[in-house]
Amino acid sequence: MHKRCERNRKRSKRRAIYCPIHGCYLDSVSQKYKLFADKAEQLQERGLSRRAALLSIANYTAVTIQGEWLEAFWCEHCQEKNWYYVRQLNNGRYDISLAPKELWQQVTGVIDPDGNPSVGEFTRINAKQLSCHSVNSFYSL
């Protein structure tokens, strides 16, 4: 006979995603940002045949890559937020690593952590200022 607590457990369990450096549990601080492939080579790297990859890209502009995403996590030990590339393995476990720069071009809806490269340094500094006297910085030049 099953225990009552096991029988009534309907809620989903917490994802077992741990810090690759310290081994402590990571708390998610963002939504999942799915990866998209827009080149046949990206699909071939994930096990699709060349012909199937070319047909997929020809039929669809971008193909969602299942089981892979970018997500921000908070590490209690480090006391900092980092973006990780997460891959869900077949056995229900997760493989995570720090998100490399080239993956940011495959994600939609996320802000680049380094900022927009077309924005100048002056604009970036003034956007971070909280005071209403930021007009004075124009006169100091």
Side-chain angles (χ1 to χ4, degrees), residues 12 47 57 59 64 76-77 84 87 104 107 113:
S12 63
I57 296 299
N59 290 335
T64 305
E76 191 65 38
H77 194 290
Y84 289 98
R87 289 187 309 151
W104 290 101
V107 181

Side-chain angles (χ1 to χ4, degrees), residues 30-35 68-71 83 107-110:
S30 76
Q31 67 185 39
K32 293 179 182 178
Y33 290 98
K34 295 180 181 180
L35 293 173
E68 298 182 23
W69 65 88
L70 293 182
E71 189 171 356
W83 284 91
V107 181
T108 59
V110 70

Side-chain angles (χ1 to χ4, degrees), residues 35-36 38-39 42 45-46 70 85 98-107 112:
L35 293 173
F36 293 91
D38 58 351
K39 296 178 185 151
Q42 295 167 341
E45 290 171 1
R46 288 161 175 86
L70 293 182
Y85 166 55
L98 286 173
K101 288 229 180 253
E102 56 270 4
L103 284 182
W104 290 101
Q105 281 76 37
Q106 290 181 259
V107 181
D112 192 352

Side-chain angles (χ1 to χ4, degrees), residues 50-99:
R50 184 174 188 275
R51 184 171 187 258
L54 288 170
L55 282 172
S56 296
I57 296 299
N59 290 335
Y60 308 102
T61 309
V63 179
T64 305
I65 300 172
Q66 297 297 321
E68 298 182 23
W69 65 88
L70 293 182
E71 189 171 356
F73 291 99
W74 173 261
C75 178
E76 191 65 38
H77 194 290
C78 303
Q79 291 291 312
E80 64 181 10
K81 176 184 84 166
N82 287 319
W83 284 91
Y84 289 98
Y85 166 55
V86 183
R87 289 187 309 151
Q88 187 171 12
L89 305 175
N90 292 338
N91 56 4
R93 303 188 85 199
Y94 298 94
D95 179 39
I96 68 166
S97 60
L98 286 173

